[in-house]
Amino acid sequence: MKYENASDILPEKLVREIQKYAAGKLLYIPTGEEKRAWGEMSGYRDRLQRRNIMIRNKYASGLSVSDLADEYFLSLDSIKKIIYSKKTDRNMTYAPTVGSAVKYASIGMLEEWIQCYLLLTQKVTSNIDEFTREEHLYFGVVKFPLRLIQLDGIVLDKKYANEAEDNVSDLPPLIIQYKDGKFYCTEQKEVFAALKQHKVNAYPAIVILKETMDYKRFMSHYGNVLFFINEL
């Protein structure tokens, strides 16, 4: 039977609890009737994986080990283990591109991509809850007709077209909010303006639905007409 270090498998809190009763001893933990990975039934393993991906992405974007330890209430050594560990079954590196968003969406982590984009690329902090609350629903990544987006506060300036002239394909997907039957692009006005200047008719987007009534209305009118992007 292969020996495993408990600190590599179990969460710190559980390890400390076990140490009260069996510090330094070898323990045999029998399998249940159906062998499952640790934390699979409760979903805790999945939450840890999502947290660890966010930690690695934030570190890669410049946050220090100390800052991450403070944010996630972990020790410096724990943060280092997460960052440098080679035992990762979800090695998802964030990038502010459509391709990266599609990869995150394919494993059910679209919300995490949105968080990375808003925090690490857009540097949004004050109103991030408007996009990442638990009750929100995310529809995407889909090919979205830009004519449906409201032009409120959007300035179609030629400078945006010039900035995006050579890298339209490298832009991120649009993050669109759907409210009261209308679509709004509030955090990426320059990206939206650049796409309009290039006369792009449809572009990859993520639609955020905040209210139950908005979801029902959206699915009734658009649920079957927007096509998901599975690969680029």
Side-chain angles (χ1 to χ4, degrees), residues 199-218:
K199 302 186 185 302
V200 176
N201 294 319
Y203 185 77
I206 301 165
V207 181
I208 299 179
L209 309 166
K210 297 182 178 182
E211 304 291 342
T212 302
M213 288 303 298
D214 286 333
Y215 173 75
K216 291 180 178 179
R217 181 184 295 171
F218 172 83

Side-chain angles (χ1 to χ4, degrees), residues 6-231:
S7 62
D8 292 336
I9 302 175
L10 304 177
E12 288 185 40
K13 186 176 181 180
L14 181 56
V15 171
R16 291 196 297 270
E17 193 66 24
I18 293 174
Q19 286 173 334
K20 295 178 182 178
Y21 303 94
K25 295 181 180 180
L26 290 175
L27 296 178
Y28 169 72
I29 302 177
T31 60
E33 294 181 2
E34 183 179 354
K35 187 175 180 180
R36 294 178 179 269
W38 171 83
E40 188 175 306
M41 289 291 290
S42 66
Y44 188 60
R45 179 188 180 92
D46 183 65
R47 291 195 296 273
L48 282 182
Q49 290 176 340
R50 291 168 183 265
R51 180 204 67 183
N52 292 349
I53 288 173
M54 291 296 292
I55 288 174
R56 294 188 196 101
N57 284 334
K58 289 180 179 180
Y59 178 76
S61 297
L63 270 71
S64 68
V65 171
S66 178
D67 289 338
L68 290 168
D70 291 340
E71 180 177 348
Y72 289 93
F73 303 100
L74 295 172
S75 68
L76 296 177
D77 286 340
S78 294
I79 293 294
K80 290 177 182 178
K81 281 184 180 179
I82 292 169
I83 292 172
Y84 301 118
S85 174
K86 296 180 180 179
K87 296 172 62 177
T88 56
D89 51 359
R90 284 187 182 178
N91 187 19
M92 298 291 293
T93 302
Y94 161 77
T97 63
V98 171
S100 177
V102 170
K103 288 180 180 178
Y104 271 73
S106 69
I107 61 170
M109 293 189 63
L110 192 55
E111 181 179 355
E112 281 73 15
W113 186 90
I114 294 172
Q115 288 184 26
C116 285
Y117 177 73
L118 294 175
L119 286 171
L120 307 179
T121 301
Q122 293 290 87
K123 308 298 182 183
V124 174
T125 55
S126 59
N127 62 337
I128 191 171
D129 284 347
E130 291 185 17
F131 301 90
T132 59
R133 290 177 182 170
E134 287 187 5
E135 63 269 22
H136 291 174
L137 296 173
Y138 305 93
F139 194 87
V141 180
V142 294
K143 203 66 176 282
F144 192 85
L146 299 187
R147 60 181 173 79
L148 296 178
I149 302 175
Q150 300 296 305
L151 292 175
D152 299 354
I154 306 296
V155 179
L156 299 181
D157 195 313
K158 289 184 179 180
K159 69 177 183 179
Y160 297 144
N162 295 334
E163 290 174 359
E165 188 69 39
D166 299 321
N167 65 342
V168 170
S169 62
D170 294 330
L171 293 172
L174 290 177
I175 299 176
I176 302 169
Q177 294 174 285
Y178 182 71
K179 184 177 180 181
D180 299 329
K182 296 181 180 180
F183 297 95
Y184 300 91
C185 181
T186 60
E187 294 296 330
Q188 298 165 293
K189 294 179 180 180
E190 293 186 7
V191 176
F192 178 48
L195 293 171
K196 293 290 285 185
Q197 289 288 352
H198 276 270
K199 302 186 185 302
V200 176
N201 294 319
Y203 185 77
I206 301 165
V207 181
I208 299 179
L209 309 166
K210 297 182 178 182
E211 304 291 342
T212 302
M213 288 303 298
D214 286 333
Y215 173 75
K216 291 180 178 179
R217 181 184 295 171
F218 172 83
M219 293 304 295
S220 174
H221 289 86
Y222 305 102
N224 295 322
V225 298
L226 297 177
F227 295 96
F228 284 90
I229 300 172
N230 296 319
E231 59 182 19

